[in-house]
Amino acid sequence: TEYIAKEEVEIKTLDEIFEKMYSKEKNFYLKIDTQGFEKEVIRGASNSLQYIKGIQLEMSLNPLYEKALDFQDMYNFIKAEGFELYSIENGFYNSKTGQLNEVEGIFFRDK
């Protein structure tokens, strides 16, 4: 991995937009792909997280982004939010060394 460019984006929390999407008849699955900003996304869903059944996110085995949680810390953080690890899928490899840098963690509510 290497730095290519910096991009500015507008950020809204999930709590800010969730009410527009919410329906009791729907099951919600949250896919997070935010390049090291996963913890902040979940923190911005403090009210809406209770309605989300599953979460999929990148979990770093090797530090790639400043201030991003590593695999163990992300696992503990999601577990504390009431989710259990369901599956791990291969993610991003270093093409030169073959070392696995990230995996996709799939979590579901423990209810």
Side-chain angles (χ1 to χ4, degrees):
T1 59
E2 65 183 65
Y3 176 82
I4 296 174
K6 185 175 183 177
E7 186 174 333
E8 289 190 28
V9 296
E10 179 183 0
I11 297 175
K12 290 187 179 186
T13 66
L14 191 55
D15 283 348
E16 289 178 281
I17 63 171
F18 191 78
E19 190 174 297
K20 296 174 189 169
M21 300 179 296
Y22 178 72
S23 167
K24 289 182 180 180
E25 291 77 39
K26 294 181 181 178
N27 288 316
F28 290 93
Y29 183 84
L30 178 61
K31 168 69 166 95
I32 305 173
D33 188 353
T34 54
Q35 313 318 119
F37 204 68
E38 293 81 7
K39 183 177 182 180
E40 288 78 4
V41 170
I42 294 167
R43 281 191 171 156
S46 59
N47 295 321
S48 50
L49 200 59
Q50 64 185 316
Y51 303 106
I52 295 171
K53 306 286 188 213
I55 297 177
Q56 180 177 346
L57 49 76
E58 295 174 340
M59 301 174 74
S60 184
L61 301 174
N62 299 306
L64 296 174
Y65 303 105
E66 190 177 317
K67 299 181 184 178
L69 297 181
D70 66 12
F71 179 92
Q72 189 64 49
D73 290 336
M74 181 58 71
Y75 171 83
N76 291 334
F77 180 70
I78 298 293
K79 188 167 177 63
E81 294 293 335
F83 291 85
E84 291 292 330
L85 184 62
Y86 181 78
S87 181
I88 295 175
E89 296 181 355
N90 281 341
F92 173 68
Y93 285 88
N94 179 323
S95 61
K96 293 179 182 175
T97 66
Q99 184 178 21
L100 184 60
N101 289 318
E102 289 181 343
V103 295
E104 290 282 324
I106 299 172
F107 295 82
F108 285 97
R109 284 225 163 265
D110 59 4
K111 293 180 184 177

